Amino acid sequence: MRHRYSILFFPLHVIVDFLSLNAAFIGAYGIKFGTIDPVFEPPYATLWWVFNLIWLVEILLFKPYIFPRQLFKADHLIKKMFVLMAVHMAVIALYWVAVKGYYYSREHLAITYGIFASLGIAFRIGGLIFLKEYRARGYNNRKYIVVGYGKLATTIRGFYDAHPEMGFHFYGYFDEPTTDTATLLRGGYDQLLDYVRINQIDCVYCCMPYIDNGRLKDIVDDAEEVDYQVKLLVDFRGFLARGASVEYHDILPVLNLSSQMLADFQVNTLKRGFDIAFSLGVLLFGAPVFLLMALITRLTSEGPVLYAQERIGRNGKPFRIYKFRSMYINAETNGPVLSAGNRDGRITSWGWFMRQTRLDELPQFFNVLKGDMSVVGPRPERQFFIDQIVEVAPEYRSLLKVKPGITSIGQIKFGYAANIEEMVQRLRYDLLYPERRSFLFDMWIIAQTVRVMVQGRGK
């Protein structure tokens, strides 16, 4: 029987956790009360049985010790343990209230969970270290082949080569040989089944772009007889990065290539709610600052306090963006021109200070309230410059799928751009946002923006 010792991992895991739980319960009682004899008598004996019963029910319901090798990692195992502990603590709390068990020591319970967590973490990390060494010596390994040669086939091999601790050993590629691939293949489809039998291959990865359904069906049909696993490799990476999702029409899986991420509840509702609340707070509590800046802008140079300009928003919709004026009037009489940085004589002295501290952007919170912009999002540009950017970097169009923002990764890491080349460089940062967008990521960007403002590092 292949890998006969692997079957022992599950019961061993269960036994060690039960031993750890009971040792923690008894040990905590001894630490708290200086003796362990009363723990075997009511009422603590009852609580002890309840502890074990709840943990057993959790194991039966959640099956926490069954996962593939790819998830057999310290962070995943420890996270799973803490989830089980949280559920266990919640149920114990309900039991405490139900039986009015105020005579139980809360300190004893806290020590119990502390010891149990320590033992559980130590066992899991120790077990992983042991497995890594055990597999490095050639034990508890899995043999795999890849059917259908191409870029995706080499990717899965590269993954397992980079993670030897998983214990997967590569035994060759199989495909119809061609002039270019003949030397790279272990064999063709005719030799596949015999090779699997002779070498006791555990897993056959089938790359869907390079194998037809007929051959795939034969491989699947033979799997039960020859005893190997079949796993499909489908290259969805380019789609999933854009927020694609899987829908089920009855039992038929359908890949939705529409950008689900851009239309989900969090983006449309929670993010908009935060934008409104944050903008109102800035406008209300920052009103004295707005008035002071308006006054200084008015006194330091001729012209209006605010500057309005057409920008392109989500889905290519134009809108008027507002800023405190940082340049002299008629700065673009000869057409659209980007700021030349320190060499730009169109910017006023007060305007330089506002740009370095990003205070000139504050009126854009009115744009946020109107719904044209968000607090966090890629900076909106003028159509004149978008046309030039797209010629160099067509991927810029993906940024038009999200609402533009007052601040962005590009503004933090790069700042203002003086030419198209620098705008493309800043674009590389902003392209990260649609893929990583979340509430916590927005908070991080806002915090970094405040730091730039306080340090006066805007450029």
Side-chain angles (χ1 to χ4, degrees):
M1 180 180 178
R2 258 185 277 172
H3 316 299
R4 58 187 181 278
Y5 298 118
S6 294
I7 198 173
L8 299 177
F9 287 158
F10 175 76
L12 179 63
H13 210 155
V14 174
I15 291 170
V16 170
D17 271 356
F18 267 109
L19 290 175
S20 300
L21 183 67
N22 286 277
F25 190 91
I26 297 173
Y29 193 92
I31 293 173
K32 171 62 179 173
F33 299 107
T35 180
I36 62 171
D37 292 337
V39 78
F40 302 103
E41 302 173 359
Y44 272 90
T46 305
L47 181 62
W48 188 8
W49 278 105
V50 171
F51 253 70
N52 284 274
L53 180 61
I54 294 172
W55 192 260
L56 176 61
V57 171
E58 285 189 83
I59 292 174
L60 296 175
L61 289 178
F62 300 120
K63 299 179 174 58
Y65 307 125
I66 300 175
F67 28 68
R69 289 189 177 207
Q70 290 77 5
L71 296 178
F72 207 69
K73 302 176 182 178
D75 58 343
H76 181 80
L77 296 177
I78 293 172
K79 179 181 177 181
K80 199 87 169 180
M81 184 190 73
F82 278 120
V83 170
L84 291 177
M85 284 182 58
V87 174
H88 194 277
M89 293 167 67
V91 177
I92 286 293
L94 292 174
Y95 170 77
W96 187 328
V97 173
V99 301
K100 298 181 179 179
Y102 307 114
Y103 38 82
Y104 292 126
S105 169
R106 286 174 291 184
E107 186 177 349
H108 165 254
L109 292 176
I111 296 173
T112 297
Y113 286 116
I115 295 175
F116 181 48
S118 301
L119 293 174
I121 292 172
F123 165 68
R124 284 158 174 78
I125 294 178
L128 287 173
I129 294 174
F130 168 78
L131 272 179
K132 184 176 181 180
E133 294 298 321
Y134 189 63
R135 287 169 179 166
R137 296 174 184 272
Y139 302 103
N140 190 236
N141 288 309
R142 297 287 186 270
K143 303 174 183 178
Y144 76 97
I145 61 174
V146 181
V147 180
Y149 182 78
K151 185 177 180 180
L152 191 59
T154 58
T155 299
I156 189 64
R157 181 184 180 182
F159 172 79
Y160 284 127
D161 287 347
H163 296 279
E165 71 278 4
M166 293 184 183
F168 276 77
H169 288 188
F170 178 66
Y171 271 69
Y173 299 111
F174 283 80
D175 203 341
E176 286 292 350
T178 64
T179 304
D180 296 331
T181 63
T183 58
L184 301 171
L185 302 178
R186 180 71 67 176
Y189 291 106
D190 295 338
Q191 294 87 38
L192 175 63
L193 190 58
D194 289 338
Y195 187 85
V196 170
R197 281 198 181 101
I198 294 170
N199 293 278
Q200 294 187 310
I201 299 299
D202 301 290
C203 187
V204 176
Y205 281 93
C206 298
C207 297
M208 289 302 290
Y210 323 121
I211 183 173
D212 60 58
N213 289 338
R215 295 194 184 278
L216 176 61
K217 184 178 183 302
D218 292 338
I219 293 172
V220 173
D221 290 343
D222 293 332
E224 186 173 351
E225 177 186 349
V226 185
D227 188 24
Y228 59 83
Q229 291 182 323
V230 179
K231 297 187 178 182
L232 301 184
L233 284 172
V234 184
D235 195 357
F236 290 146
R237 290 170 296 181
F239 301 122
L240 296 179
R242 296 180 174 89
S245 60
V246 177
E247 301 173 351
Y248 283 91
H249 297 184
D250 198 2
I251 61 171
L252 181 66
V254 177
L255 184 66
N256 178 12
L257 300 184
S258 300
S259 186
Q260 179 68 24
M261 181 188 67
L262 304 180
D264 64 13
F265 176 80
Q266 181 180 0
V267 172
N268 288 340
T269 305
L270 299 182
K271 185 174 174 65
R272 180 59 182 156
F274 169 79
D275 284 344
I276 293 174
F278 191 82
S279 300
L280 284 174
V282 171
L283 294 174
L284 291 175
F285 294 104
V289 176
F290 277 68
L291 293 174
L292 178 62
M293 292 187 62
L295 179 62
I296 297 175
T297 302
R298 183 69 175 179
L299 294 176
T300 53
S301 63
E302 294 183 0
V305 170
L306 296 178
Y307 172 70
Q309 188 181 74
E310 184 178 275
R311 297 289 177 95
I312 302 301
R314 185 178 182 183
N315 297 325
K317 180 181 178 182
F319 69 96
R320 304 286 287 180
I321 193 173
Y322 300 100
K323 295 184 177 184
F324 282 117
R325 181 177 54 82
S326 60
M327 291 186 175
Y328 295 105
I329 58 175
N330 300 322
E332 291 189 335
T333 53
N334 296 323
V337 180
L338 291 168
S339 171
N342 295 332
R343 304 182 305 276
D344 199 329
R346 299 174 301 161
I347 302 175
T348 67
S349 299
W350 170 243
W352 274 118
F353 172 79
M354 288 196 297
R355 281 173 169 250
Q356 289 176 332
T357 56
R358 301 283 168 81
L359 293 173
D360 61 320
E361 311 278 2
L362 289 179
Q364 291 167 36
F365 283 103
F366 287 105
N367 290 111
V368 176
L369 282 180
K370 288 174 60 182
D372 296 327
M373 297 177 65
S374 179
V375 175
V376 177
R379 289 295 298 165
E381 296 294 345
R382 286 177 275 182
Q383 189 65 56
F384 177 81
F385 295 116
I386 290 176
D387 293 340
Q388 299 179 64
I389 295 172
V390 169
E391 290 182 5
V392 180
E395 60 269 30
Y396 179 84
R397 292 190 182 93
S398 66
L399 292 184
L400 297 178
K401 296 179 181 179
V402 298
K403 190 177 292 186
I406 296 177
T407 186
S408 68
I409 310 175
Q411 284 291 93
I412 295 169
K413 298 292 186 180
F414 193 90
Y416 296 107
N419 51 53
I420 296 298
E421 181 181 351
E422 291 188 356
M423 294 179 84
V424 173
Q425 292 177 25
R426 185 176 64 189
L427 167 68
R428 305 305 177 193
Y429 292 106
D430 284 337
L431 284 172
L432 299 172
Y433 182 70
E435 298 178 11
R436 300 176 59 186
R437 187 166 45 159
S438 68
F439 179 76
L440 290 179
F441 192 43
D442 282 5
M443 294 302 100
W444 179 84
I445 293 175
I446 291 172
Q448 295 301 310
T449 303
V450 172
R451 181 172 60 84
V452 169
M453 294 174 66
V454 172
Q455 295 176 351
R457 296 194 298 106
K459 63 173 184 173

PDB file of all heavy atoms in Angstrom, residues 285-311:
ATOM      1  N   PHE A 285     -14.881  69.863   9.848  1.00  0.00           N
ATOM      2  CA  PHE A 285     -13.855  70.182  10.846  1.00  0.00           C
ATOM      3  C   PHE A 285     -12.694  70.961  10.251  1.00  0.00           C
ATOM      4  O   PHE A 285     -11.944  71.628  10.982  1.00  0.00           O
ATOM      5  CB  PHE A 285     -13.342  68.894  11.499  1.00  0.00           C
ATOM      6  CG  PHE A 285     -14.378  68.191  12.327  1.00  0.00           C
ATOM      7  CD1 PHE A 285     -15.009  67.059  11.851  1.00  0.00           C
ATOM      8  CD2 PHE A 285     -14.739  68.683  13.578  1.00  0.00           C
ATOM      9  CE1 PHE A 285     -15.978  66.404  12.604  1.00  0.00           C
ATOM     10  CE2 PHE A 285     -15.698  68.042  14.331  1.00  0.00           C
ATOM     11  CZ  PHE A 285     -16.327  66.900  13.860  1.00  0.00           C
ATOM     12  N   GLY A 286     -12.546  70.891   8.931  1.00  0.00           N
ATOM     13  CA  GLY A 286     -11.449  71.619   8.296  1.00  0.00           C
ATOM     14  C   GLY A 286     -11.857  72.950   7.709  1.00  0.00           C
ATOM     15  O   GLY A 286     -11.051  73.590   7.021  1.00  0.00           O
ATOM     16  N   ALA A 287     -13.087  73.387   7.991  1.00  0.00           N
ATOM     17  CA  ALA A 287     -13.573  74.652   7.428  1.00  0.00           C
ATOM     18  C   ALA A 287     -12.652  75.834   7.745  1.00  0.00           C
ATOM     19  O   ALA A 287     -12.362  76.649   6.849  1.00  0.00           O
ATOM     20  CB  ALA A 287     -14.991  74.925   7.929  1.00  0.00           C
ATOM     21  N   PRO A 288     -12.148  75.991   8.982  1.00  0.00           N
ATOM     22  CA  PRO A 288     -11.229  77.122   9.254  1.00  0.00           C
ATOM     23  C   PRO A 288      -9.965  77.059   8.395  1.00  0.00           C
ATOM     24  O   PRO A 288      -9.471  78.091   7.939  1.00  0.00           O
ATOM     25  CB  PRO A 288     -10.902  76.949  10.746  1.00  0.00           C
ATOM     26  CG  PRO A 288     -12.065  76.190  11.303  1.00  0.00           C
ATOM     27  CD  PRO A 288     -12.484  75.257  10.215  1.00  0.00           C
ATOM     28  N   VAL A 289      -9.445  75.854   8.162  1.00  0.00           N
ATOM     29  CA  VAL A 289      -8.255  75.699   7.328  1.00  0.00           C
ATOM     30  C   VAL A 289      -8.575  76.090   5.881  1.00  0.00           C
ATOM     31  O   VAL A 289      -7.777  76.769   5.214  1.00  0.00           O
ATOM     32  CB  VAL A 289      -7.734  74.247   7.387  1.00  0.00           C
ATOM     33  CG1 VAL A 289      -6.548  74.056   6.445  1.00  0.00           C
ATOM     34  CG2 VAL A 289      -7.349  73.874   8.805  1.00  0.00           C
ATOM     35  N   PHE A 290      -9.751  75.692   5.398  1.00  0.00           N
ATOM     36  CA  PHE A 290     -10.161  76.046   4.044  1.00  0.00           C
ATOM     37  C   PHE A 290     -10.226  77.569   3.894  1.00  0.00           C
ATOM     38  O   PHE A 290      -9.742  78.124   2.905  1.00  0.00           O
ATOM     39  CB  PHE A 290     -11.535  75.442   3.741  1.00  0.00           C
ATOM     40  CG  PHE A 290     -11.484  74.010   3.292  1.00  0.00           C
ATOM     41  CD1 PHE A 290     -11.107  72.996   4.160  1.00  0.00           C
ATOM     42  CD2 PHE A 290     -11.798  73.661   1.995  1.00  0.00           C
ATOM     43  CE1 PHE A 290     -11.061  71.687   3.753  1.00  0.00           C
ATOM     44  CE2 PHE A 290     -11.757  72.349   1.569  1.00  0.00           C
ATOM     45  CZ  PHE A 290     -11.380  71.343   2.455  1.00  0.00           C
ATOM     46  N   LEU A 291     -10.826  78.241   4.859  1.00  0.00           N
ATOM     47  CA  LEU A 291     -10.959  79.699   4.783  1.00  0.00           C
ATOM     48  C   LEU A 291      -9.599  80.377   4.825  1.00  0.00           C
ATOM     49  O   LEU A 291      -9.343  81.340   4.085  1.00  0.00           O
ATOM     50  CB  LEU A 291     -11.838  80.192   5.934  1.00  0.00           C
ATOM     51  CG  LEU A 291     -13.310  79.765   5.882  1.00  0.00           C
ATOM     52  CD1 LEU A 291     -14.047  80.200   7.149  1.00  0.00           C
ATOM     53  CD2 LEU A 291     -14.003  80.347   4.646  1.00  0.00           C
ATOM     54  N   LEU A 292      -8.699  79.884   5.689  1.00  0.00           N
ATOM     55  CA  LEU A 292      -7.359  80.469   5.791  1.00  0.00           C
ATOM     56  C   LEU A 292      -6.589  80.291   4.482  1.00  0.00           C
ATOM     57  O   LEU A 292      -5.929  81.229   4.000  1.00  0.00           O
ATOM     58  CB  LEU A 292      -6.600  79.819   6.946  1.00  0.00           C
ATOM     59  CG  LEU A 292      -5.158  80.280   7.152  1.00  0.00           C
ATOM     60  CD1 LEU A 292      -5.121  81.775   7.480  1.00  0.00           C
ATOM     61  CD2 LEU A 292      -4.488  79.467   8.251  1.00  0.00           C
ATOM     62  N   MET A 293      -6.666  79.107   3.892  1.00  0.00           N
ATOM     63  CA  MET A 293      -5.962  78.857   2.645  1.00  0.00           C
ATOM     64  C   MET A 293      -6.534  79.696   1.508  1.00  0.00           C
ATOM     65  O   MET A 293      -5.794  80.183   0.648  1.00  0.00           O
ATOM     66  CB  MET A 293      -6.035  77.371   2.301  1.00  0.00           C
ATOM     67  CG  MET A 293      -5.256  76.478   3.247  1.00  0.00           C
ATOM     68  SD  MET A 293      -5.204  74.774   2.683  1.00  0.00           S
ATOM     69  CE  MET A 293      -4.357  74.962   1.128  1.00  0.00           C
ATOM     70  N   ALA A 294      -7.847  79.840   1.495  1.00  0.00           N
ATOM     71  CA  ALA A 294      -8.477  80.670   0.465  1.00  0.00           C
ATOM     72  C   ALA A 294      -8.005  82.115   0.586  1.00  0.00           C
ATOM     73  O   ALA A 294      -7.706  82.778  -0.422  1.00  0.00           O
ATOM     74  CB  ALA A 294      -9.990  80.581   0.585  1.00  0.00           C
ATOM     75  N   LEU A 295      -7.893  82.593   1.808  1.00  0.00           N
ATOM     76  CA  LEU A 295      -7.458  83.968   2.037  1.00  0.00           C
ATOM     77  C   LEU A 295      -6.009  84.168   1.591  1.00  0.00           C
ATOM     78  O   LEU A 295      -5.687  85.151   0.897  1.00  0.00           O
ATOM     79  CB  LEU A 295      -7.610  84.309   3.525  1.00  0.00           C
ATOM     80  CG  LEU A 295      -7.167  85.725   3.935  1.00  0.00           C
ATOM     81  CD1 LEU A 295      -8.017  86.779   3.218  1.00  0.00           C
ATOM     82  CD2 LEU A 295      -7.265  85.901   5.450  1.00  0.00           C
ATOM     83  N   ILE A 296      -5.129  83.219   1.949  1.00  0.00           N
ATOM     84  CA  ILE A 296      -3.717  83.338   1.576  1.00  0.00           C
ATOM     85  C   ILE A 296      -3.563  83.249   0.063  1.00  0.00           C
ATOM     86  O   ILE A 296      -2.784  83.992  -0.549  1.00  0.00           O
ATOM     87  CB  ILE A 296      -2.879  82.240   2.274  1.00  0.00           C
ATOM     88  CG1 ILE A 296      -2.920  82.416   3.785  1.00  0.00           C
ATOM     89  CG2 ILE A 296      -1.434  82.288   1.783  1.00  0.00           C
ATOM     90  CD1 ILE A 296      -2.222  81.296   4.545  1.00  0.00           C
ATOM     91  N   THR A 297      -4.302  82.345  -0.575  1.00  0.00           N
ATOM     92  CA  THR A 297      -4.239  82.212  -2.032  1.00  0.00           C
ATOM     93  C   THR A 297      -4.652  83.511  -2.707  1.00  0.00           C
ATOM     94  O   THR A 297      -4.030  83.948  -3.687  1.00  0.00           O
ATOM     95  CB  THR A 297      -5.145  81.057  -2.503  1.00  0.00           C
ATOM     96  OG1 THR A 297      -4.748  79.844  -1.864  1.00  0.00           O
ATOM     97  CG2 THR A 297      -5.064  80.883  -4.009  1.00  0.00           C
ATOM     98  N   ARG A 298      -5.674  84.124  -2.154  1.00  0.00           N
ATOM     99  CA  ARG A 298      -6.186  85.378  -2.724  1.00  0.00           C
ATOM    100  C   ARG A 298      -5.187  86.517  -2.568  1.00  0.00           C
ATOM    101  O   ARG A 298      -4.999  87.328  -3.478  1.00  0.00           O
ATOM    102  CB  ARG A 298      -7.499  85.748  -2.031  1.00  0.00           C
ATOM    103  CG  ARG A 298      -8.177  86.982  -2.557  1.00  0.00           C
ATOM    104  CD  ARG A 298      -8.716  86.754  -3.953  1.00  0.00           C
ATOM    105  NE  ARG A 298      -9.465  87.900  -4.429  1.00  0.00           N
ATOM    106  CZ  ARG A 298     -10.031  87.981  -5.622  1.00  0.00           C
ATOM    107  NH1 ARG A 298      -9.935  86.942  -6.447  1.00  0.00           N
ATOM    108  NH2 ARG A 298     -10.689  89.051  -6.002  1.00  0.00           N
ATOM    109  N   LEU A 299      -4.493  86.554  -1.408  1.00  0.00           N
ATOM    110  CA  LEU A 299      -3.594  87.661  -1.118  1.00  0.00           C
ATOM    111  C   LEU A 299      -2.229  87.523  -1.789  1.00  0.00           C
ATOM    112  O   LEU A 299      -1.545  88.523  -2.019  1.00  0.00           O
ATOM    113  CB  LEU A 299      -3.393  87.787   0.393  1.00  0.00           C
ATOM    114  CG  LEU A 299      -4.638  88.178   1.212  1.00  0.00           C
ATOM    115  CD1 LEU A 299      -4.320  88.174   2.705  1.00  0.00           C
ATOM    116  CD2 LEU A 299      -5.166  89.559   0.787  1.00  0.00           C
ATOM    117  N   THR A 300      -1.810  86.295  -2.100  1.00  0.00           N
ATOM    118  CA  THR A 300      -0.458  86.084  -2.620  1.00  0.00           C
ATOM    119  C   THR A 300      -0.353  86.177  -4.127  1.00  0.00           C
ATOM    120  O   THR A 300       0.762  86.299  -4.660  1.00  0.00           O
ATOM    121  CB  THR A 300       0.078  84.703  -2.178  1.00  0.00           C
ATOM    122  OG1 THR A 300      -0.873  83.696  -2.536  1.00  0.00           O
ATOM    123  CG2 THR A 300       0.313  84.672  -0.669  1.00  0.00           C
ATOM    124  N   SER A 301      -1.474  86.128  -4.838  1.00  0.00           N
ATOM    125  CA  SER A 301      -1.426  86.261  -6.294  1.00  0.00           C
ATOM    126  C   SER A 301      -2.806  86.603  -6.821  1.00  0.00           C
ATOM    127  O   SER A 301      -3.825  86.291  -6.187  1.00  0.00           O
ATOM    128  CB  SER A 301      -0.922  84.965  -6.946  1.00  0.00           C
ATOM    129  OG  SER A 301      -1.818  83.903  -6.696  1.00  0.00           O
ATOM    130  N   GLU A 302      -2.832  87.236  -7.988  1.00  0.00           N
ATOM    131  CA  GLU A 302      -4.106  87.593  -8.590  1.00  0.00           C
ATOM    132  C   GLU A 302      -4.780  86.356  -9.171  1.00  0.00           C
ATOM    133  O   GLU A 302      -4.119  85.441  -9.637  1.00  0.00           O
ATOM    134  CB  GLU A 302      -3.891  88.623  -9.704  1.00  0.00           C
ATOM    135  CG  GLU A 302      -3.371  89.970  -9.212  1.00  0.00           C
ATOM    136  CD  GLU A 302      -3.247  90.965 -10.355  1.00  0.00           C
ATOM    137  OE1 GLU A 302      -3.570  90.581 -11.507  1.00  0.00           O
ATOM    138  OE2 GLU A 302      -2.827  92.113 -10.097  1.00  0.00           O
ATOM    139  N   GLY A 303      -6.103  86.399  -9.149  1.00  0.00           N
ATOM    140  CA  GLY A 303      -6.858  85.303  -9.733  1.00  0.00           C
ATOM    141  C   GLY A 303      -7.825  84.671  -8.750  1.00  0.00           C
ATOM    142  O   GLY A 303      -7.836  85.016  -7.552  1.00  0.00           O
ATOM    143  N   PRO A 304      -8.640  83.741  -9.220  1.00  0.00           N
ATOM    144  CA  PRO A 304      -9.626  83.089  -8.341  1.00  0.00           C
ATOM    145  C   PRO A 304      -8.941  82.196  -7.308  1.00  0.00           C
ATOM    146  O   PRO A 304      -7.810  81.756  -7.489  1.00  0.00           O
ATOM    147  CB  PRO A 304     -10.465  82.264  -9.316  1.00  0.00           C
ATOM    148  CG  PRO A 304      -9.548  81.999 -10.475  1.00  0.00           C
ATOM    149  CD  PRO A 304      -8.687  83.215 -10.597  1.00  0.00           C
ATOM    150  N   VAL A 305      -9.658  81.916  -6.240  1.00  0.00           N
ATOM    151  CA  VAL A 305      -9.141  81.050  -5.180  1.00  0.00           C
ATOM    152  C   VAL A 305      -9.102  79.602  -5.653  1.00  0.00           C
ATOM    153  O   VAL A 305      -8.118  78.896  -5.434  1.00  0.00           O
ATOM    154  CB  VAL A 305     -10.001  81.177  -3.911  1.00  0.00           C
ATOM    155  CG1 VAL A 305      -9.626  80.105  -2.887  1.00  0.00           C
ATOM    156  CG2 VAL A 305      -9.855  82.561  -3.318  1.00  0.00           C
ATOM    157  N   LEU A 306     -10.172  79.162  -6.301  1.00  0.00           N
ATOM    158  CA  LEU A 306     -10.277  77.777  -6.775  1.00  0.00           C
ATOM    159  C   LEU A 306      -9.957  77.691  -8.260  1.00  0.00           C
ATOM    160  O   LEU A 306     -10.161  78.636  -9.021  1.00  0.00           O
ATOM    161  CB  LEU A 306     -11.681  77.219  -6.515  1.00  0.00           C
ATOM    162  CG  LEU A 306     -12.104  77.088  -5.051  1.00  0.00           C
ATOM    163  CD1 LEU A 306     -13.538  76.566  -4.969  1.00  0.00           C
ATOM    164  CD2 LEU A 306     -11.167  76.164  -4.295  1.00  0.00           C
ATOM    165  N   TYR A 307      -9.469  76.525  -8.637  1.00  0.00           N
ATOM    166  CA  TYR A 307      -9.141  76.252 -10.031  1.00  0.00           C
ATOM    167  C   TYR A 307      -9.934  75.028 -10.445  1.00  0.00           C
ATOM    168  O   TYR A 307      -9.900  73.976  -9.777  1.00  0.00           O
ATOM    169  CB  TYR A 307      -7.638  75.990 -10.164  1.00  0.00           C
ATOM    170  CG  TYR A 307      -7.207  75.512 -11.520  1.00  0.00           C
ATOM    171  CD1 TYR A 307      -7.226  76.373 -12.617  1.00  0.00           C
ATOM    172  CD2 TYR A 307      -6.757  74.209 -11.702  1.00  0.00           C
ATOM    173  CE1 TYR A 307      -6.808  75.939 -13.866  1.00  0.00           C
ATOM    174  CE2 TYR A 307      -6.334  73.768 -12.946  1.00  0.00           C
ATOM    175  CZ  TYR A 307      -6.366  74.631 -14.030  1.00  0.00           C
ATOM    176  OH  TYR A 307      -5.964  74.205 -15.263  1.00  0.00           O
ATOM    177  N   ALA A 308     -10.702  75.119 -11.521  1.00  0.00           N
ATOM    178  CA  ALA A 308     -11.521  74.009 -12.013  1.00  0.00           C
ATOM    179  C   ALA A 308     -10.973  73.543 -13.367  1.00  0.00           C
ATOM    180  O   ALA A 308     -10.560  74.355 -14.194  1.00  0.00           O
ATOM    181  CB  ALA A 308     -12.973  74.427 -12.150  1.00  0.00           C
ATOM    182  N   GLN A 309     -10.959  72.235 -13.554  1.00  0.00           N
ATOM    183  CA  GLN A 309     -10.424  71.673 -14.788  1.00  0.00           C
ATOM    184  C   GLN A 309     -11.158  70.385 -15.119  1.00  0.00           C
ATOM    185  O   GLN A 309     -11.530  69.627 -14.219  1.00  0.00           O
ATOM    186  CB  GLN A 309      -8.930  71.390 -14.616  1.00  0.00           C
ATOM    187  CG  GLN A 309      -8.218  70.977 -15.880  1.00  0.00           C
ATOM    188  CD  GLN A 309      -6.746  70.710 -15.595  1.00  0.00           C
ATOM    189  OE1 GLN A 309      -6.402  69.680 -15.000  1.00  0.00           O
ATOM    190  NE2 GLN A 309      -5.888  71.632 -16.010  1.00  0.00           N
ATOM    191  N   GLU A 310     -11.367  70.129 -16.407  1.00  0.00           N
ATOM    192  CA  GLU A 310     -12.053  68.896 -16.802  1.00  0.00           C
ATOM    193  C   GLU A 310     -11.098  67.709 -16.710  1.00  0.00           C
ATOM    194  O   GLU A 310      -9.985  67.754 -17.205  1.00  0.00           O
ATOM    195  CB  GLU A 310     -12.597  69.008 -18.224  1.00  0.00           C
ATOM    196  CG  GLU A 310     -13.413  67.785 -18.645  1.00  0.00           C
ATOM    197  CD  GLU A 310     -13.998  67.906 -20.039  1.00  0.00           C
ATOM    198  OE1 GLU A 310     -15.089  68.495 -20.169  1.00  0.00           O
ATOM    199  OE2 GLU A 310     -13.349  67.400 -20.972  1.00  0.00           O
ATOM    200  N   ARG A 311     -11.560  66.655 -16.041  1.00  0.00           N
ATOM    201  CA  ARG A 311     -10.809  65.402 -15.943  1.00  0.00           C
ATOM    202  C   ARG A 311     -11.720  64.259 -16.371  1.00  0.00           C
ATOM    203  O   ARG A 311     -12.947  64.420 -16.465  1.00  0.00           O
ATOM    204  CB  ARG A 311     -10.319  65.164 -14.508  1.00  0.00           C
ATOM    205  CG  ARG A 311      -9.339  66.210 -14.002  1.00  0.00           C
ATOM    206  CD  ARG A 311      -7.988  66.094 -14.680  1.00  0.00           C
ATOM    207  NE  ARG A 311      -7.065  67.137 -14.253  1.00  0.00           N
ATOM    208  CZ  ARG A 311      -6.176  66.992 -13.282  1.00  0.00           C
ATOM    209  NH1 ARG A 311      -6.086  65.835 -12.639  1.00  0.00           N
ATOM    210  NH2 ARG A 311      -5.369  67.976 -12.966  1.00  0.00           N
TER     211      ARG A 311
END
